Amino acid sequence: MPTWGHGLRAKSALALLLACLLALLPAAFFAWRAFDEVKTHLGEGYARNFTELHRERILGPIARELALAHRLADSVTIRHWLRDERAPSRQAQAREEAEGFRRAFRDHSYFLASSGSLDYYYNDPAQDYSAAPRYRLDPQKADDAWFFSTLAAAPRVNINVNPDRWLKQAKVWLNVVIEDDGRRLGIAGTGLDLSRFMKEFIDAGIAGLTPMIIDRSGVIQLHPDTRLIALGSGARHDAEARTLASLLADAAERDALHAALDRAAATPGTVEQLWVTLDGGRRLLSLSYLDELRWYVLTAVDLSVAEIVDRGWVQGAAAGFALLIVLMLASFSFAVDRLVLRPLKALHHSALALTRGETVRLPPPGRDELGDLSRAFGTMAAKIRAHTDELEDKVRTRTEALQAANTAMSAAQKKVRDSIEYASLIQRALLPDQRLSELLGPHHFALWRPRDTVGGDFYLFRAEGGHNLLGIVDCAGHGVPGALMTMLARAAFDDAMNRIGLERPAALLAHADRTLRGMLQASQLPRAIATNMDAGLVCVDRGTRRILFAGAKISLYWSDGDTVAEIPGVRRALADRRQAEFVEHSLALPAGATCYLVTDGYLDQAGGEHGFGLGNSRFAELLRTIAQRPMAEQAQALDQALEAHRGHHPQLDDITILAFRID
């Protein structure tokens, strides 16, 4: 056999090996580019979701404190005293009124500053209570400029981050002007400890994430780097104050930032995003405007540091890709030897065998020693090869189409699943479990079991002064539609509580009903879509041990272990086709009695031998047997009773029970 044939085969194998390597290089490059684009897309979603969540976490506590500060500033007793500060009786009444507000404020502190006497009054738990002013304000001193600039400004409210020179405390001060028939008698408000506020809302402790707050002028109010905070800028105009725009070196980025701020202010609640150069690196900036506070909430994300994608997964994928390349090269080398070099040698022996008249498998036509034999049977081989290639192309085309369809379907399912799981985290975070634990402790329990990952049930809790408001809401539908309806319902009830207070449950239901009707009418939903919701609200007066209840298709149950009573709500739901007249029930509970609010998902759950619902009667008898137990044991007993009744039947609806006891 001539030696040139062996040389040709070796060169062919080497050429194929080099071609494989060259094909892998662009594949690796495009794979890395695709991964980088996916990481950027995930980072934008991560920054947007974090900013929205951060916005709600900040808005809730401060909005509550501002509402209390407004009520303190609008107090008739406080205004009467400021008209004549030296009247002993009025001063005593004002002190008693302000002390009640002090206990309700988050930091248990308040301040009053008089525009007449310029006296500054302040009380908190850390200092002895005193009727005397802490100090007197001086218009010539820069530290007191906040008072005079606030009185002179048009808005009644401003939020100022500043240390007090006499109290030796740095706080986020909430200032509300006290007005009386056009006169500005002074300023009232409270403060949130700056270090605590920073720890809860600014110091996220997440690598690559920098939350911050700026005001309408772009001045930095709160930042993890306290050196950048423009102290006192919230109550006076300071041309030298550090702004976020001043941290950007590029004029185009500053213009883009101002445009994004204007868009966010025009549509409060939305999130704007842009890329800027900040802290010496490229940052994704997400921002949202809080119209109630005249603040912007911002999040700067360094995608090169933030763990948008799990590092373990990336390292594992890289190792797997490297291993795949090694395996491909090894497989290719083996295949070249097995499928090219060995068959060539075998084909040479076959050609020799053909000369002897033996029946052998013929090689395809080529330029080497197999060419003579292949061309002798070229016509037959060409037909067979064409038929085989056609079949293989059809199989390959259909296989690739199926693989592409399966890949797209898997990706879509994962996106939907991940979105629903994240929505569940957000919905759970909106439930008032922490406040319930802080104020009611072991005297309450809440069972919240959505039928799907997210659901249409949620519960409410708010405390102001000597009153607590507890409630549950059951929106039509479950799963994602029900969860979206809870967002509308939550906004409507928050607006009702902010405007009306807690002491009139029936008025709260009526206000929420009107708000929801306006929302749904504006959205022009089809009539076939159910948008109504059941609700039950209880206002507890801790001082008198009396409760006020109003319900829309939800009843209030109470039991002391001997008696079980049901206080029914009206028979129409919120946002029903016909508007309901909500009725308020007042009652005094015996000592040790437990109150229960329950949605129909528990009462209507199918189970037992015939698949009937649990029902009100069995529920009431169950309450009689457990009412005197500790609240945690009651929750466990209700859960076990439901599971025993349900058996193999699936959960049909979202289930919520909120129970509390007045001691």
Side-chain angles (χ1 to χ4, degrees):
M1 174 181 175
T3 57
W4 67 269
H6 292 289
L8 180 61
R9 292 194 293 270
K11 290 179 180 179
S12 299
L14 181 59
L16 289 173
L17 181 61
L18 291 175
C20 181
L21 289 174
L22 292 176
L24 286 174
L25 290 177
F29 172 77
F30 287 117
W32 176 255
R33 286 291 302 272
F35 173 77
D36 190 62
E37 291 179 3
V38 169
K39 183 179 179 181
T40 300
H41 177 72
L42 293 177
E44 291 174 352
Y46 176 78
R48 182 182 300 276
N49 292 336
F50 183 88
T51 301
E52 290 175 343
L53 182 60
H54 198 218
R55 176 184 184 278
E56 297 304 322
R57 290 181 64 246
I58 291 176
L59 179 60
I62 296 186
R64 175 190 177 276
E65 296 298 291
L66 272 178
L68 287 174
H70 265 289
R71 294 179 62 184
L72 175 62
D74 293 338
S75 169
V76 175
T77 304
I78 300 297
R79 284 183 288 158
H80 284 179
W81 169 59
L82 290 178
R83 292 196 199 108
D84 184 7
E85 296 181 53
R86 305 308 174 192
S89 60
R90 290 186 177 182
Q91 186 182 46
Q93 291 173 355
R95 284 162 44 198
E96 184 177 355
E97 178 83 357
E99 189 66 8
F101 279 91
R102 183 186 68 79
R103 291 189 293 269
F105 282 124
R106 182 186 180 97
D107 275 15
H108 304 298
S109 66
Y110 73 90
F111 72 86
L112 294 169
S114 170
S115 62
S117 65
L118 298 183
D119 286 337
Y120 181 87
Y121 299 84
Y122 176 86
N123 276 299
D124 66 5
Q127 304 185 42
D128 295 335
Y129 179 78
S130 172
R134 297 295 180 185
Y135 58 86
R136 180 158 294 174
L137 299 161
D138 188 346
Q140 302 301 320
K141 293 184 177 180
D143 289 338
D144 295 337
W146 67 270
F147 174 79
F148 302 99
S149 60
T150 301
L151 283 180
R156 285 190 64 195
V157 178
N158 74 56
I159 304 175
N160 187 31
V161 182
N162 198 38
D164 189 284
R165 76 182 196 279
W166 294 106
L167 301 177
K168 308 299 182 184
Q169 297 183 21
K171 291 193 174 188
V172 180
W173 298 99
L174 309 180
N175 306 317
V176 181
V177 176
I178 305 172
E179 292 184 340
D180 183 41
D181 294 333
R183 294 174 56 205
R184 294 199 164 193
L185 302 179
I187 298 176
T190 185
L192 301 172
D193 182 74
L194 181 58
S195 61
R196 179 180 172 188
F197 191 93
M198 293 279 289
K199 183 177 181 181
E200 291 184 2
F201 301 111
I202 301 301
D203 296 332
I206 302 175
L209 210 67
T210 306
M212 65 186 83
I213 293 175
I214 65 174
D215 63 12
R216 282 298 301 270
S217 302
V219 177
I220 298 175
Q221 299 298 310
L222 292 168
H223 193 282
D225 185 354
T226 56
R227 295 172 299 178
L228 299 179
I229 298 176
L231 297 175
S233 62
R236 65 179 185 272
H237 176 71
D238 187 355
E240 301 299 325
R242 179 65 64 90
T243 65
L244 177 60
S246 67
L247 301 180
L248 307 179
D250 188 83
E253 290 185 355
R254 291 195 293 270
D255 293 340
L257 173 62
H258 291 311
L261 293 175
D262 291 340
R263 291 194 300 271
T267 55
T270 60
V271 176
E272 295 290 333
Q273 292 186 317
L274 67 156
W275 287 92
V276 298
T277 303
L278 192 65
D279 296 333
R282 195 70 171 160
R283 303 289 186 268
L284 174 61
L285 194 64
S286 292
L287 58 95
S288 183
Y289 183 61
L290 305 179
D291 190 41
E292 300 87 346
L293 311 180
R294 296 174 63 83
W295 271 0
Y296 292 94
V297 176
L298 299 96
T299 307
V301 182
D302 184 353
L303 293 184
S304 64
V305 177
E307 292 190 4
I308 305 300
V309 181
D310 183 60
R311 291 182 181 271
W313 181 86
V314 175
Q315 294 171 355
F321 184 76
L323 180 60
L324 178 62
I325 292 177
V326 172
L327 291 175
M328 287 179 63
L329 292 176
S331 300
F332 184 79
S333 299
F334 177 80
V336 168
D337 180 73
R338 184 71 177 269
L339 300 177
V340 178
L341 299 180
R342 293 184 185 180
L344 281 175
K345 187 176 180 179
L347 286 174
H348 177 64
H349 291 297
S350 297
L352 295 177
L354 280 176
T355 62
R356 297 191 296 266
E358 299 175 3
T359 302
V360 296
R361 297 180 61 185
L362 299 175
R367 298 177 58 187
D368 57 6
E369 60 272 19
L370 300 178
D372 294 336
L373 293 175
S374 298
R375 278 187 292 273
F377 297 93
T379 303
M380 180 181 65
K383 291 182 179 180
I384 295 174
R385 185 168 58 253
H387 182 63
T388 302
D389 290 344
E390 182 181 356
L391 291 177
E392 288 178 349
D393 287 341
K394 289 182 179 180
V395 171
R396 182 168 52 253
T397 301
R398 293 177 181 177
T399 301
E400 290 174 353
L402 287 174
Q403 289 177 344
N406 289 335
T407 301
M409 184 180 299
S410 298
Q413 288 178 345
K414 185 178 185 304
K415 287 182 180 179
V416 172
R417 184 168 59 251
D418 291 346
S419 297
I420 293 176
E421 291 292 340
Y422 189 75
S424 176
L425 292 176
I426 294 175
Q427 189 174 42
R428 184 75 209 188
L430 293 177
L431 297 177
D433 293 330
Q434 183 177 358
R435 293 290 295 163
L436 282 166
S437 299
E438 289 175 357
L439 296 182
L440 299 186
H443 303 302
H444 87 286
F445 71 81
L447 286 179
W448 184 69
R449 292 176 53 174
R451 193 196 74 169
D452 305 308
T453 305
V454 293
D457 285 8
F458 68 97
Y459 49 93
L460 298 165
F461 176 74
R462 186 176 287 191
E464 290 183 6
H467 296 85
N468 291 347
L469 183 74
L470 302 97
I472 61 174
V473 180
D474 180 3
C475 300
H478 34 71
V480 174
L484 292 176
M485 287 299 296
T486 65
M487 298 296 101
L488 296 178
R490 178 62 183 266
F493 278 99
D494 283 346
D495 181 68
M497 289 185 286
N498 291 336
R499 293 176 181 270
I500 298 176
L502 310 182
E503 295 85 357
R504 295 184 294 157
L508 289 174
L509 290 178
H511 185 91
D513 186 34
R514 291 192 299 271
T515 302
L516 288 167
R517 290 177 185 275
M519 293 178 180
L520 297 172
Q521 184 177 5
S523 63
Q524 298 181 351
L525 293 175
R527 292 191 175 184
I529 298 178
T531 56
N532 59 296
M533 55 193 70
D534 306 340
L537 299 178
V538 178
C539 179
V540 181
D541 188 332
R542 297 196 302 271
T544 62
R545 293 180 54 80
R546 296 191 66 84
I547 66 174
L548 293 174
F549 166 72
K553 298 188 72 176
I554 286 183
S555 300
L556 171 67
Y557 295 85
W558 69 268
S559 175
D560 57 1
D562 296 325
T563 302
V564 177
E566 177 185 0
I567 315 300
V570 299
R571 299 181 65 182
R572 291 196 175 275
L574 276 69
D576 206 344
R577 291 188 178 181
R578 294 181 59 185
Q579 193 166 0
E581 293 291 335
F582 300 106
V583 179
E584 205 164 76
H585 303 272
S586 174
L587 65 154
L589 295 177
T594 305
C595 295
Y596 308 86
L597 292 169
V598 58
T599 61
D600 57 4
Y602 191 96
L603 302 175
D604 297 341
Q605 174 59 50
E609 182 179 355
H610 303 290
F612 295 150
L614 182 69
N616 295 57
S617 300
R618 275 189 283 188
F619 180 68
E621 184 59 31
L622 179 60
L623 296 183
R624 186 194 309 275
T625 62
I626 67 172
Q628 292 299 311
R629 299 184 190 177
M631 302 300 282
E633 293 185 13
Q634 291 193 42
Q636 184 178 9
L638 288 169
D639 195 43
Q640 291 175 348
L642 178 66
E643 288 301 315
H645 172 74
R646 185 168 71 91
H648 64 277
H649 293 274
Q651 183 174 332
L652 300 179
D653 198 358
D654 302 321
I655 294 173
T656 301
I657 301 178
L658 180 61
F660 62 93
R661 180 181 291 161
I662 304 177
D663 288 342

